[in-house]
Amino acid sequence: MMRNSQEQALQSLIDDLRQRAAEAEETLAAIRDGSVDAVVVGGEGKDEVLVIGDDASAFRNFMEAMEPGAVAVDSAGRLLYSNARFRQIFAEDWDRLKGKLLSEILPGPASQLIGKLINPDSHEAAPVSVSFLEKGVERNYLVSARPVHLGTVRGFAVTFSDLTERVRAEAAERAERIANAIIASANEAVVVCDRTLTVTHANFAAEALSTEKLVGARLDAAIPLKFPDATGILDIGELVETSLAGTPLRSIEAFAPMSPGARDVMVSAAPLNISDDGPEGCVLTLVDLSQRKKDERQMHLLMRELDHRVKNTLALVLSISKRTAASEETLEGFQGSFSGRIEALAATHNLLAGASWESLSLRQIFSAEVSPYTETGGERVNIIGVDLSLYPRAAIALGLIFHELATNATKYGALSGEKGSIVLEIHPKTDAPSVEVTWTEKDGPAVKSFSRKGFGHTVIARSLSYSPHGGTTMEFEPTGVVCRIRIPASDVA
């Protein structure tokens, strides 16, 4: 049984050897007949092309049919043959190229790289990428080299595969990614449209200006804008046309009536130049002016308010000056009274300035006007009741009233002696049209009403009379003056 198996294995080996011998005889016959021009021989780590015989015309025909540029060089790097594409790349005819070193034809950096490929002692056979000018335009090639036998000559077959379009496509794709990243990361709205006003790119801030998706939509329909007559631009279409004509436009204010986001915007437009064939579109940036417009409106409002207040203050100062001059008999008396009243007015203004002219505490006003004459919050001056917050109009009037009352108390009333005291009582706020505050002097000299009333009494009586719900009542009690002050409820914050 074992003997039969051995005989079968031996017979199979004999048949295989006969088959190989037959194939070898066929190959040798083909070589003798000239049917085979070259064979590929497997070597250690790489294949070699072996050209049979001295006539390499078949190999040259093969090179000419190749799409990449191709050249055959000897072991020293001298050109043995080049195809038409190689000659086209370097704009040379074969008579000028024949016998030259490949390193003499290629630019410096490319020559050094390719020199490593055709070095017989080098085992680095990986293709290398090179770039150089072809008819003034930079082109990119992938260069490969393989050993080749041309008859008795050993050399290399070097191919130049054109990668220019792929490199350009990759560069364009990378530029597109960078452009998209820049547009997306911009804080302001950025929109790119083509010459037909179709939006091609838009960032998130731009999408917030429209109720529809921008990319693919017409710009003038997606973000309609109105421009002031002074700009000379009628609509966004005219803005883009002007930009495409080569005139960049900057910082033009516009209004977006249909925008769900910013309504007031500042628009800039510039042509999108990608090639030398003219603008392919337009890049627009739209800056949100909403906050700036709000600030401008607030500023104009404050300026009008300031103008109104300055005029009122100057009129009040002029009135104080005239009335004080009419009630004082000497220049010294006028100077003292007038200065005191202006200082009282200035004290209230300072407090209002610190509060941004919004409202003032009644206690603050009282302390500012009485503190020059005596300490507030002590035994001689006391405030009873819940504090009030007053708007500027009432605060200024109350400051003048407190100043006149404190001045009179210092000259003739409770503060003229050592035992008198003042109580300011703030009555609880009710639904009445006014809030009452009572100034009461106690333990001072006996007082009586005077038949002649000076300007100070006029200030007290009339300062709050701008409203039918405001005013004062003076009572000259034997124990001291009692002044009932009615502050309009509309002036209580």
Side-chain angles (χ1 to χ4, degrees):
M1 195 71 181
M2 183 178 295
R3 182 177 179 181
N4 291 337
S5 298
Q6 291 177 345
E7 289 178 354
Q8 290 176 356
L10 180 61
Q11 185 62 42
S12 176
L13 178 61
I14 293 172
D15 293 342
D16 182 61
L17 290 175
R18 285 176 177 173
Q19 177 67 27
R20 292 189 179 186
E23 291 176 353
E25 288 178 359
E26 291 179 1
T27 301
L28 291 173
I31 292 174
R32 284 194 299 269
D33 296 341
S35 302
V36 176
D37 299 302
V39 294
V40 178
V41 180
E44 297 181 359
K46 52 188 176 181
D47 297 336
E48 294 187 14
V49 179
L50 179 60
V51 177
I52 307 301
D54 294 333
D55 185 5
S57 60
F59 180 69
R60 293 179 180 179
N61 293 336
F62 172 71
M63 290 182 65
E64 285 293 344
M66 294 175 63
E67 181 179 354
V71 62
V73 298
D74 61 17
S75 58
R78 294 186 181 278
L79 270 66
L80 301 175
Y81 181 74
S82 68
N83 68 358
R85 175 64 183 131
F86 181 88
R87 296 191 295 272
Q88 180 185 6
I89 293 173
F90 295 98
E92 295 281 1
D93 56 35
W94 175 239
D95 292 336
R96 295 172 61 105
L97 290 175
K98 185 177 180 180
K100 277 191 175 182
L101 291 171
L102 186 59
S103 59
E104 296 176 352
I105 301 171
L106 300 175
S111 173
Q112 295 174 6
L113 289 172
I114 296 175
K116 296 179 180 180
L117 292 179
I118 61 176
N119 184 355
D121 298 328
S122 174
H123 296 288
E124 182 180 350
V128 297
S129 298
V130 298
S131 61
F132 41 79
L133 294 179
E134 180 181 339
K135 297 179 180 180
V137 179
E138 184 179 30
R139 301 194 69 86
N140 305 88
Y141 294 91
L142 183 66
V143 184
S144 302
R146 290 291 183 271
V148 64
H149 286 209
L150 296 173
T152 59
V153 178
R154 299 172 63 90
F156 296 88
V158 185
T159 58
F160 293 75
S161 301
D162 195 343
L163 302 180
T164 304
E165 297 306 322
R166 192 178 80 180
V167 170
R168 288 177 180 175
E170 291 175 353
E173 183 181 354
R174 182 171 181 273
E176 175 77 4
R177 290 198 302 269
I178 293 174
N180 287 336
I182 293 173
I183 292 174
S185 60
N187 292 327
E188 308 300 343
V190 180
V191 180
V192 181
C193 69
D194 60 19
R195 299 184 68 88
T196 66
L197 294 184
T198 301
V199 177
T200 59
H201 300 78
N203 64 357
F204 180 77
E207 294 286 355
L209 296 175
S210 178
T211 56
E212 60 180 286
K213 184 174 179 58
L214 284 178
V215 176
R218 277 188 60 89
L219 179 60
D220 51 354
I223 311 179
L225 296 179
K226 293 184 177 180
F227 297 86
D229 294 337
T231 65
I233 301 294
L234 299 179
D235 53 40
I236 196 168
E238 186 175 347
L239 180 81
V240 172
E241 289 179 7
T242 304
S243 175
L244 292 175
T247 305
L249 301 174
R250 297 180 179 87
S251 305
I252 299 177
E253 290 193 22
F255 180 68
M258 307 300 292
S259 172
R263 296 294 184 91
D264 295 294
V265 293
M266 181 176 290
V267 187
S268 296
L272 178 62
N273 295 308
I274 300 178
S275 63
D276 297 333
D277 298 331
E280 297 187 16
C282 181
V283 181
L284 297 97
T285 57
L286 300 94
V287 180
D288 185 358
L289 297 181
S290 301
Q291 187 59 46
R292 197 186 84 174
K293 290 293 185 180
K294 181 180 178 181
D295 293 341
E296 288 178 354
R297 288 191 291 268
Q298 181 68 15
M299 182 184 67
H300 290 319
L301 179 63
L302 292 176
M303 289 297 293
R304 288 196 298 269
E305 181 67 19
L306 178 62
D307 180 63
H308 176 70
R309 287 174 180 169
V310 168
K311 289 179 179 178
N312 287 347
T313 301
L314 291 176
L316 182 58
V317 170
L318 184 60
S319 175
I320 291 173
S321 173
K322 290 181 178 180
R323 299 270 185 163
T324 303
S327 61
E328 296 294 336
E329 297 180 354
T330 64
L331 182 60
E332 290 78 7
F334 166 79
Q335 184 176 359
S337 298
F338 180 72
S339 297
R341 286 162 182 155
I342 297 302
E343 289 171 1
L345 183 63
T348 307
H349 272 251
N350 286 337
L351 292 174
L352 284 169
S356 300
W357 283 84
E358 292 182 358
S359 63
L360 273 187
S361 160
L362 187 147
R363 289 175 178 263
Q364 282 183 293
I365 303 168
F366 178 80
S367 297
E369 302 300 344
V370 176
S371 58
Y373 305 101
T374 185
E375 181 182 356
T376 59
E379 295 181 356
R380 303 194 66 183
V381 178
N382 193 19
I383 304 176
I384 301 173
V386 180
D387 197 7
L388 298 178
S389 184
L390 305 178
Y391 289 128
R393 180 173 62 169
I396 292 173
L398 203 60
L400 291 173
I401 292 173
F402 284 154
H403 169 73
E404 295 299 334
L405 289 172
T407 301
N408 291 338
T410 302
K411 291 181 178 181
Y412 314 111
L415 298 182
S416 63
E418 297 180 358
K419 297 181 179 181
S421 63
I422 298 174
V423 176
L424 185 73
E425 186 175 1
I426 305 172
H427 300 283
K429 185 178 178 182
T430 64
D431 294 334
S434 61
V435 179
E436 188 171 300
V437 177
T438 305
W439 168 294
T440 304
E441 298 181 23
K442 296 181 179 180
D443 302 327
V447 297
K448 61 180 180 178
S449 177
F450 297 96
S451 58
R452 182 180 180 275
K453 297 177 181 178
F455 178 56
H457 185 276
T458 303
V459 171
I460 295 171
R462 297 184 180 180
S463 291
L464 288 168
S465 61
Y466 58 80
S467 169
H469 304 300
T472 59
T473 302
M474 292 284 288
E475 299 175 4
F476 295 93
E477 300 291 340
T479 56
V481 171
V482 177
C483 181
R484 304 185 189 280
I485 306 169
R486 298 186 311 280
I487 304 172
S490 59
D491 284 337
V492 179

